[in-house]
């Protein structure tokens, strides 16, 4: 079975809204990555998301809504949340807040908080308005694998497990949203870095914003139950990972690449200047032409997938600079390289 790829017409949106109202799942485009969406108020519908992804029940979902008003129906918005909403919604910012009772336990993995975001992808926004429901959606990939940033990625990973994919083209951001825990507004904490930095959030709120360190939580693997309940399972050290071993190094020397065998691939931050490297074909890749973090973010998952499918023994990737603009990229590369499982 192959999922139907729907171009975003009025008719398609109406049809997919009906699928969602009936409790079905639909892969949707967002500005960050593709998501696998279902009615967030319907526990059975959300169960289908977990089944399709082989996602452990301990890993809570993000609820997507069309407006701040719709967010207030699922979460208790405090003044800090409203300030961040004004600054960053619609956009790649997810807020963790106390949940309202309408949200079923399966969505939040039994936690008393819920993660909520107003996305900015125009096609997803049209679908949210058309169905009039809050939509729970994790990234549309098998649990633990690289997130999808193109409809083809969803088709390849989940195409035989779901029926519908809404085509919204390539994702503009390419990395999952920033997740900020706002349950204690005086001490906000970034649980997962994304395109919106902790520094930008701190500037809007006027308080310091902590960044939570990645912890290794063994136990939680695709299709397996996690050992203990996780408060923010996106923090699994190994996540967003290709199957091929990935190793991070401070700098890749051209001489090393030229001397290496054909079964080792290299991933640079920017296009290598040495023309002999570009001539090596697919086993030399780069995230951006000139080291731009936004462009690198857009490309990283597609590059990891292509290299992963190349049959290499190992992928060697260059570390990104230790600057706030690269925090999300550093986080994802670090997890992709982690051997925590
Ligand atoms: O950009 C994104 O956030 C994408 C698109 C589809 O919106 N979604 C996404 O979802 O990345 P997912 O399931 O791959 O990551 C959701 C993560 C969970 O793994 C967990 O870390 C965090 O959100 N999360 C959800 N609910 C939470 C809660 N109540 N408390 C703490 N963390 C929570
Ligand atoms: Mg994910």
């Amino acid at each position: 079975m192959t999922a139907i790829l729907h171009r975003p017409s009025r008719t398609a949106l109406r049809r997919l809204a009906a699928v969602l109202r009936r409790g079905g799942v639909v892969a949707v485009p967002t500005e960050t990555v593709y998501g696998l969406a279902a009615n967030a108020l319907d526990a059975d519908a959300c169960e289908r998301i977990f089944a399709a992804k082989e996602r452990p029940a301990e890993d809570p979902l993000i609820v997507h809504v069309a407006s701040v008003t719709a967010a207030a129906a699922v979460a208790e918005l405090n003044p800090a949340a409203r300030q961040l909403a004004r600054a960053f919604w619609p956009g790649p910012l997810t807020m963790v807040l106390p949940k309202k009772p309408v949200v079923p336990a399966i969505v939040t993995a039994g936690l008393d908080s819920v993660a909520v975001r107003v996305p900015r992808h125009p096609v997803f926004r049209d679908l949210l308005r058309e169905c009039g429901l809050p939509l729970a959606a994790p990234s549309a990939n098998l649990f633990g694998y690289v997130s999808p940033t193109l409809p083809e990625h969803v088709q390849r990973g989940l195409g035989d497990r779901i029926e519908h994919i809404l085509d919204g083209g390539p994702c503009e951001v390419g990395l999952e949203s920033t997740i900020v825990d706002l349950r204690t507004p005086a001490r906000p904490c970034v649980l997962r870095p994304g395109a919106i930095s902790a520094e930008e959030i701190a500037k809007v709120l006027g308080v310091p914003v902590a960044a939570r360190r990645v912890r290794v939580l063994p136990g939680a693997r695709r299709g397996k139950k996690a050992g203990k309940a996780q408060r923010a399972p996106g923090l699994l050290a190994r996540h967003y990972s290709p199957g091929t071993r990935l190793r991070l190094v401070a700098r890749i020397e051209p001489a090393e690449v030229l001397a290496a065998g054909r079964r080792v691939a290299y991933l640079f931050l920017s296009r290598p200047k040495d023309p002999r490297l570009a001539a090596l074909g697919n086993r030399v890749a780069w995230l951006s032409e000139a080291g731009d973090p936004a462009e690198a973010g857009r490309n990283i998952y597609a590059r990891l997938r292509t290299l992963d499918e190349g049959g290499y023994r190992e992928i060697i990737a260059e570390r990104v600079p230790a600057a706030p603009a690269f925090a999300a990229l550093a986080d994802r590369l670090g997890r992709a390289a982690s051997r925590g499982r």
Side-chain angles (χ1 to χ4, degrees), residues 30 32-36 53 55 59-62 64 94 96 107-108 111 113-115 117 137-139 141 147 175-177 179 191-192 231-235 239-240:
T30 90
T32 58
V33 300
Y34 273 73
L36 187 59
K53 281 189 58 122
R55 183 177 174 106
D59 197 351
L61 307 178
I62 294 174
H64 300 75
T94 297
V96 172
V107 171
T108 62
L111 298 172
S113 59
V114 64
R117 116 174 157 92
S139 51
N141 51 278
S147 293
L175 292 172
E176 301 81 355
S177 59
I179 302 180
L191 302 179
R192 180 176 70 185
R231 290 164 50 78
L235 300 184
H239 208 127
Y240 315 106

